[in-house]
Amino acid sequence: MQTLITDRAIRERSHELAMQIGHDYEARPLTIIGVLTGSLVFLADLTRQLAIPHRIGVLQASSYRGATTEPGLLRINLELVPDLQGRHVLLLDDILDTGQTLSALVEQVKQLGPLSVRTVVLLRKLGRQLVALEPDYCGFEIPDVFVVGYGLDYNDEFRHLPFLAGLDPEDIALGCERR
Ligand code: 5GP
Ligand code: MG
């Protein structure tokens, strides 16, 4: 496992994003919706650095199993989303890979009738995108490696790491043998 982005770098960048978002949404009713489970840590950090009043909520989306980078069947659960009438929504996810998850979520959340829907991602993997979607805010662009930590998992492990790390293909193979 190799450190890709340190906790200090994440803290500095999320502060910059919070300043930018605070400026853009000043005096507008904002609801940030985090995509469970990977975005929890990013959501918790960003919301506390955002100086304007806002609401937070979550929804559930899952498509990946283990370390496979092939998108699986996307399952979306909107039951936890709060009322969005009269609200501007910022959908927050951990990582934009093919873009399929976030673009499907944008469409689903629009159906709930908010004033607007925009997106923020902590990470964007370069050279992987299949769906045309420009995130409105992006923390870091990263190469095509499988990352864990800061909320992101491999088989539900490593979410607690305060930094972002790239998982070697060998580590992944070893993990599969152990199961
Ligand atoms: P997309 O639909 O953009 O291909 O996939 C986005 C989702 O796949 C993310 O929300 C995340 O859950 C998962 N994902 C994509 N790449 C990685 C990665 O490198 N590490 C981890 N832990 N999850 C990833
Ligand atoms: Mg996810």
Side-chain angles (χ1 to χ4, degrees), residues 153-171:
D153 75 308
Y154 166 60
N155 280 340
D156 270 327
E157 303 287 347
F158 308 121
R159 292 193 198 276
H160 60 90
L161 298 176
F163 52 87
L164 283 153
L167 214 55
D168 293 335
E170 287 132 61
D171 292 342

Side-chain angles (χ1 to χ4, degrees), residues 22 89 173:
V89 169

Side-chain angles (χ1 to χ4, degrees), residues 67-105:
T68 172
T69 46
E70 296 308 315
L73 187 68
L74 180 63
R75 290 175 302 170
I76 297 174
N77 178 1
L78 299 173
E79 272 170 38
L80 297 169
V81 175
D83 184 19
L84 299 179
Q85 299 299 316
R87 313 290 303 175
H88 292 280
V89 169
L90 197 49
L91 255 177
L92 176 145
D93 205 358
D94 49 3
I95 182 165
L96 185 82
D97 186 18
T98 65
Q100 278 162 342
T101 305
L102 208 53
S103 63
L105 290 176

